């Protein structure tokens, strides 16, 4: 489903191509169906994926085996399994899958293991307020299918109810839901600055400096140890 919906999404690639050095392996946290990993492999990077969903792992391993590009990729469960210094990316709202305590724990762990990495890049949407806009339904479509996402608040998180509708018949062919924690940019900014005081902040994929009205909050922490 994620693959169908986002397979053609690529505006973030330019940022990774600019910020990541080719001779340093990349660890992608929440690599999902491998949209970014595959791009990086095609660009000549070596990549380690961290992904909890075994279906996504199987899907992606099959995909790269078919393409013959599996030599430069493997899954790890933790950065400490990567035995050379790496760059780490947390792309596309992956942090929104973690609650605030889990985000804090992840960042503290990365700080503790800072001798394992050079650059850490974390990308989320820039959320200033959580208001009725945050719960607006979204629609995407491709040639054959309409993808409907309806967010509903549920205590500290939101549940995104999804439907895939076949355009030809108007039949709903798939229904599923997942939860997200919409972290406000000010809260993330604060915690990034506390743990990584020298972090730089960008507001879009062209690396314009972050402002309150930027579409994105992208933190880049550079580790000189
Ligand atoms: C929004 S998808 C992003 C996929 C891909 N990075 C991209 O940008 O296209 C988020 C992914 O993070 C994974 N994920 C969520 N929590 C995780 C965790 N604690 N550890 C590793 N992966 C996780 C989910 O299974 C999902 O595949």
């Amino acid at each position: 489903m994620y693959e169908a919906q986002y397979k053609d999404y690529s505006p973030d690639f330019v940022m990774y191509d600019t910020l990541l050095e080719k001779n340093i392996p990349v660890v992608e946290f929440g690599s999902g169906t491998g949209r970014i990993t595959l791009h990086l492999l095609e660009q000549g990077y070596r990549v380690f994926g961290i992904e909890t969903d075994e279906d996504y792992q199987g899907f992606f391993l099959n995909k790269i085996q078919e393409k013959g590009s599996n030599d430069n990729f493997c899954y790890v469960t933790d950065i400490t399994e990567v035995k050379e210094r790496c760059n780490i990316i947390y792309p596309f709202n992956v942090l929104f899958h973690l609650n605030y305590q889990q985000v804090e724990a992840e960042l503290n762990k990365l700080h503790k293991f800072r001798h394992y990495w050079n650059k850490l890049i974390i990308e989320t949407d820039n959320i200033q307020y959580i208001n009725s806009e945050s719960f607006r339904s979204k629609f995407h479509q491709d040639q054959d299918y309409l993808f409907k996402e309806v967010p509903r608040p549920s205590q500290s998180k939101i549940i995104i109810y999804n439907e895939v509708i076949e355009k030809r018949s108007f039949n709903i062919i798939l229904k599923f839901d997942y939860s997200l924690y919409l972290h406000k940019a000010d809260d993330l900014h604060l915690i990034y600055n506390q743990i990584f005081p020298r972090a730089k902040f960008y507001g879009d994929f062209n690396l314009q400096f972050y402002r309150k009205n930027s579409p994105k909050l992208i933190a880049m922490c550079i580790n000189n140890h």
Side-chain angles (χ1 to χ4, degrees):
M1 165 64 191
Y2 180 86
E3 170 75 0
Q5 219 173 337
Y6 287 102
K7 71 178 187 308
D8 296 327
Y9 180 82
S10 62
D12 46 355
F13 290 174
V14 63
M15 172 180 78
Y16 295 117
D17 294 350
T18 309
L19 295 178
L20 299 169
E21 297 85 358
K22 286 249 167 78
N23 58 341
I24 300 179
V26 180
V27 176
E28 183 181 2
F29 189 92
S31 53
T33 53
R35 184 182 65 83
I36 300 173
T37 289
L38 190 59
H39 168 75
L40 294 174
L41 290 172
E42 285 169 354
Q43 298 301 304
Y45 292 87
R46 281 183 300 132
V47 185
F48 294 88
I50 298 183
E51 173 55 58
T52 42
D53 187 316
E54 289 182 6
D55 289 342
Y56 283 171
Q57 287 195 12
F59 172 87
F60 184 63
L61 287 175
N62 277 340
K63 189 162 158 179
I64 51 174
Q65 204 156 19
E66 276 168 22
K67 289 181 180 276
S69 48
N70 44 349
D71 287 351
N72 286 326
F73 176 79
C74 78
Y75 282 110
V76 289
T77 51
D78 204 84
I79 53 159
T80 58
E81 288 173 36
V82 180
K83 298 296 175 212
E84 53 194 306
R85 271 178 95 105
C86 53
N87 288 324
I88 304 175
I89 62 174
Y90 275 67
F92 199 66
N93 298 341
V94 173
L95 231 52
F96 289 178
H97 287 258
L98 311 182
N99 66 31
Y100 196 74
Q101 288 70 30
Q102 289 168 323
V103 169
E104 206 169 14
E106 269 300 317
L107 297 182
N108 278 318
K109 192 165 96 186
L110 289 168
H111 182 259
K112 179 173 166 200
F113 292 117
R114 60 196 176 280
H115 50 285
Y116 281 82
W117 53 270
N118 286 348
K119 276 182 193 164
L120 163 65
I121 300 165
I122 308 169
E123 180 237 313
T124 59
D125 287 344
N126 176 17
I127 297 183
Q128 290 295 325
Y129 307 102
I130 295 181
N131 53 22
S132 54
E133 268 299 283
S134 317
F135 304 110
R136 221 165 33 122
S137 300
K138 286 190 199 156
F139 298 90
H140 314 263
Q141 56 181 319
D142 68 10
Q143 216 181 329
D144 302 316
Y145 301 106
L146 181 66
F147 303 96
K148 185 174 162 192
E149 294 179 32
V150 181
R152 291 277 174 260
S154 167
Q155 293 171 344
S156 61
K157 51 191 181 180
I158 64 169
I159 301 180
I160 316 275
Y161 294 94
N162 292 267
E163 283 178 7
V164 183
I165 300 157
E166 191 181 42
K167 281 159 97 173
R168 192 167 42 91
S169 61
F170 291 111
N171 284 338
I172 298 171
I173 56 158
L174 187 64
K175 263 181 149 180
F176 64 97
D177 55 72
Y178 58 88
S179 306
L180 288 183
Y181 298 88
L182 293 182
H183 300 300
K184 286 195 220 151
D186 286 352
D187 297 339
L188 289 178
H189 222 143
L190 192 72
I191 193 172
Y192 294 152
N193 271 322
Q194 274 169 0
I195 300 177
F196 302 107
R198 283 177 297 173
K200 289 183 184 165
F201 297 101
Y202 302 111
D204 62 30
F205 296 131
N206 296 317
L207 305 177
Q208 304 281 322
F209 286 117
Y210 171 76
R211 296 205 173 102
K212 290 261 177 198
N213 61 353
S214 299
K216 295 280 171 185
L217 170 60
I218 298 161
M220 183 170 78
C221 315
I222 297 182
N223 191 7
N224 298 320
H225 290 89

